[in-house]
């Protein structure tokens, strides 16, 4: 392999393949580290672990400013569809996302995940009651916006970005475009950081497994099973229930069609936006109303994020369990609401759902350092997690659109 091809693979090749290579190399370094340390006096794991530390620090730096501009730009430039049934589709999108987050809470409590973290916090700092959680939430909301960004107070960042986004909907088109350009610029910086994810995964895995042992891999596998299991439950249990509520007949033929023709493609492309043409073509073959699906499917690619809500919830509660925190079910449901709102801002950014984990973690007083480590864990399991998440998100876009269109046909017929 010549130098140019090697450079292309390391920095511009398929991200999944590069992360897989980084994961394997990290495991190999962890396996030989003790022998090399004893024979040559070189601690390979600690040396390569610096790559993981740099990656985590970069994620910590970019997350607050990304959330601030991304949510603000999305609200400021939001366009509302003209079709009367668009409201029903949006309700299905948001309800499906929330129920997916609730399912993730139940799965996380039934099958708690314990992952290896570089630093453990004192569990006594965890909020002990719903009232304390709500008080912390309110105090974070009214924080100074600059302080919220500087101190990574993600609830405050979200509150100010929502407020400014709604206010800027009445601004001039030029102002809205400036905000959108800022969001696009920060997204490109995030894309650059994500391109270094394989190096970060390599360093994190090497250092973590060398310190905690290969048993730490069991925590990653368990976490992955909880994530994918919850996504499959959402796709084949929760979504059919919502579709039946609309069309009042067996929903599974439509569910299987959407999963087979939209979900499978999205699994491999790993992009809801790239799968929009596939969904539109499927909507045509299903004879749906063009005026409806031409708006609803692109909108769904931005706000219909059940998979992202599951990822945010499961990884946040994994951090909670790992730190030994006691969290009530009501507090966890509050997390579901936050996760559903966060998920709607996860579109358009590589690893978007992972980068919103710190916002959800801040609800329980978890520091951004621990939250950033959970992002790193997300990238380790992201080889399957991200593909499954995208498949669920994208197939649900056309599924819910079809359900509302079929309901309208049934009423008119």
């Amino acid at each position: 392999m010549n130098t140019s091809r090697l450079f292309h693979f390391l920095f511009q090749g398929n991200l999944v393949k590069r992360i897989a290579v980084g994961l394997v190399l990290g495991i190999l370094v962890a396996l030989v580290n003790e022998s090399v340390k004893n024979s040559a006096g070189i601690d390979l794991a600690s040396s390569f672990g610096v790559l993981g530390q740099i990656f985590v620090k970069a994620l910590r730096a970019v997350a607050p400013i990304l959330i601030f501009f991304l949510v603000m730009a999305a609200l400021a430039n939001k366009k509302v569809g003209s079709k009367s049934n668009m409201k029903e589709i949006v309700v299905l999108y948001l309800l499906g996302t929330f129920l997916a987050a609730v399912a993730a809470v139940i799965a996380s409590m039934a099958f708690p995940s314990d992952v290896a973290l570089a630093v453990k916090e004192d569990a006594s700092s965890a909020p002990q009651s719903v009232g304390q959680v709500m008080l912390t939430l309110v105090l974070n909301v009214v924080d100074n916006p600059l302080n919220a960004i500087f101190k990574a107070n993600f609830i405050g960042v979200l509150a100010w970005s929502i407020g400014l986004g709604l206010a800027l909907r009445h601004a001039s088109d030029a102002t809205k475009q400036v905000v959108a350009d800022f969001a696009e610029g920060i997204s490109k910086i995030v894309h650059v950081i994500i391109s270094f994810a394989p190096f970060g995964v390599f360093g994190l895995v090497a250092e973590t497994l060398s310190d905690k042992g290969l048993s730490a891999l069991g925590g990653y596998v368990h976490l992955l099973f909880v994530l994918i299991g919850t996504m499959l439950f959402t796709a084949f249990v929760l979504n059919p229930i919502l579709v039946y509520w609309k069309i009042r007949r067996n929903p599974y033929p439509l569910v299987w069609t959407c999963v087979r023709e939209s979900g499978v493609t999205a699994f491999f492309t790993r992009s809801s936006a790239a799968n929009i043409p596939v969904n539109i073509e499927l909507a045509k073959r299903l004879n749906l109303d063009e005026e409806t699906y031409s708006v609803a499917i692109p909108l769904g690619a931005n706000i219909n994020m059940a998979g992202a809500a599951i990822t945010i919830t499961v990884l946040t509660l994994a951090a909670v369990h790992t730190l030994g925190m006691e969290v009530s079910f009501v507090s966890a449901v509050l997390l579901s609401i936050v996760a559903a709102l966060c998920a709607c801002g996860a579109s358009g950014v590589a690893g978007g759902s992972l980068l919103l984990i710190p916002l959800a973690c801040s609800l329980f007083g978890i520091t951004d350092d621990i939250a950033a480590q959970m992002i790193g864990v997300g990238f380790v399991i992201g080889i399957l997690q991200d593909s499954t998440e995208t498949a669920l998100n994208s197939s649900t876009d056309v599924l819910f659109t079809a359900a509302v269109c079929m309901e309208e046909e049934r009423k008119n017929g």
Side-chain angles (χ1 to χ4, degrees):
M1 182 181 289
N2 58 39
T3 304
S4 61
R5 290 180 62 188
L6 177 61
F7 180 84
H8 181 272
F9 175 77
L10 290 176
F11 295 99
Q12 298 176 334
N14 183 279
L15 185 62
V16 173
K17 292 180 180 178
R18 292 189 293 128
I19 288 178
V21 170
L23 177 61
V24 171
L25 291 178
I27 294 173
L28 291 176
V29 168
L31 288 173
V32 304
N33 183 64
E34 194 64 28
S35 299
V36 174
K37 189 175 181 179
N38 291 334
S39 60
I42 300 175
D43 191 343
L44 290 177
S46 295
S47 300
F48 290 124
V50 174
L51 295 174
Q53 294 171 22
I54 293 172
F55 181 61
V56 167
K57 190 171 181 62
L59 291 172
R60 290 175 59 190
V62 76
I65 196 73
L66 170 70
I67 292 171
F68 182 74
F69 278 102
L70 204 64
V71 174
M72 181 169 57
L75 290 174
N77 292 279
K78 186 179 183 300
K79 293 180 173 57
V80 181
S82 58
K83 287 285 288 182
S84 59
N85 60 359
M86 193 60 58
K87 183 181 294 185
E88 296 180 42
I89 296 174
V90 171
V91 168
L92 267 185
Y93 285 164
L94 298 179
L95 181 60
T97 299
F98 171 70
L99 291 178
V102 173
V105 167
I106 296 172
S108 296
M109 290 188 161
F111 307 99
S113 301
D114 197 336
V115 295
L117 297 175
V119 179
K120 297 239 178 179
E121 290 181 326
D122 182 4
S124 63
S125 64
Q128 299 298 315
S129 65
V130 177
Q132 189 176 349
V133 171
M134 294 301 297
L135 177 60
T136 301
L137 183 66
V138 172
L139 292 177
N140 285 339
V141 165
V142 297
D143 193 11
N144 179 286
L146 294 180
N147 186 64
I149 293 175
F150 293 153
K151 298 291 181 65
N153 167 15
F154 290 95
I155 299 297
V157 169
L158 181 64
W160 279 99
S161 62
I162 290 175
L164 285 172
L166 292 174
L168 288 174
R169 293 188 68 177
H170 304 286
S172 66
D173 290 339
T175 301
K176 293 179 182 179
Q177 186 59 47
V178 169
V179 174
D181 288 343
F182 266 107
E184 179 66 23
I186 294 168
S187 297
K188 288 180 178 178
I189 293 174
V190 171
H191 182 75
V192 172
I193 294 174
I194 299 304
S195 69
F196 286 92
F199 299 95
V201 167
F202 168 56
L204 288 170
V205 169
E207 187 173 32
T208 300
L209 296 188
S210 177
D211 179 43
K212 309 292 183 182
L214 291 180
S215 60
L217 282 176
Y220 294 153
V221 173
H222 179 274
L223 182 62
L224 186 60
F225 271 113
V226 173
L227 276 167
I228 294 181
T230 308
M231 291 179 190
L232 291 175
F233 178 81
T234 300
F236 295 111
V237 178
L238 291 181
N239 284 353
I241 290 173
L242 291 174
V243 171
Y244 177 79
W245 172 49
K246 283 295 180 184
I247 66 177
R248 297 289 192 248
R249 63 174 186 266
N250 182 6
Y252 282 98
L254 178 60
V255 170
W256 280 112
T257 298
C258 294
V259 169
R260 184 180 67 250
E261 300 193 28
S262 172
V264 172
T265 306
F267 182 89
F268 291 103
T269 61
R270 300 172 74 240
S271 171
S272 294
N275 212 49
I276 288 175
V278 175
N279 283 348
I280 288 179
E281 181 60 32
L282 176 57
K284 287 180 182 178
R285 284 189 273 114
L286 291 172
N287 295 316
L288 305 183
D289 179 61
E290 183 176 1
E291 189 178 349
T292 298
Y293 72 69
S294 62
V295 176
I297 288 176
L299 179 64
N302 287 280
I303 69 169
N304 183 34
M305 293 287 165
I310 291 169
T311 297
I312 293 168
T313 302
V314 170
L315 286 172
T316 298
L317 289 179
V320 167
H321 182 261
T322 300
L323 297 172
M325 295 180 173
E326 294 293 332
V327 175
S328 68
F329 182 76
V330 176
S331 298
V333 172
L334 179 60
L335 168 65
S336 301
I337 299 173
V338 173
L341 293 174
C342 294
C344 295
S347 64
V349 180
S353 60
L354 298 179
L355 293 173
L356 291 168
I357 290 170
L359 198 159
C361 282
S362 67
L363 190 65
F364 301 106
I366 298 174
T367 64
D368 59 323
D369 178 56
I370 299 295
Q373 289 185 55
M374 291 306 301
I375 298 176
V377 171
F379 277 109
V380 172
I381 63 174
I383 297 172
L384 288 176
Q385 169 269 325
D386 189 44
S387 295
T388 309
E389 176 185 314
T390 306
L392 174 61
N393 290 341
S394 190
S395 62
T396 306
D397 294 344
V398 67
L399 175 67
F400 285 168
T401 301
V404 172
C405 288
M406 290 178 177
E407 180 200 27
E408 191 172 81
E409 287 181 8
R410 179 174 63 85
K411 287 180 177 178
N412 295 335

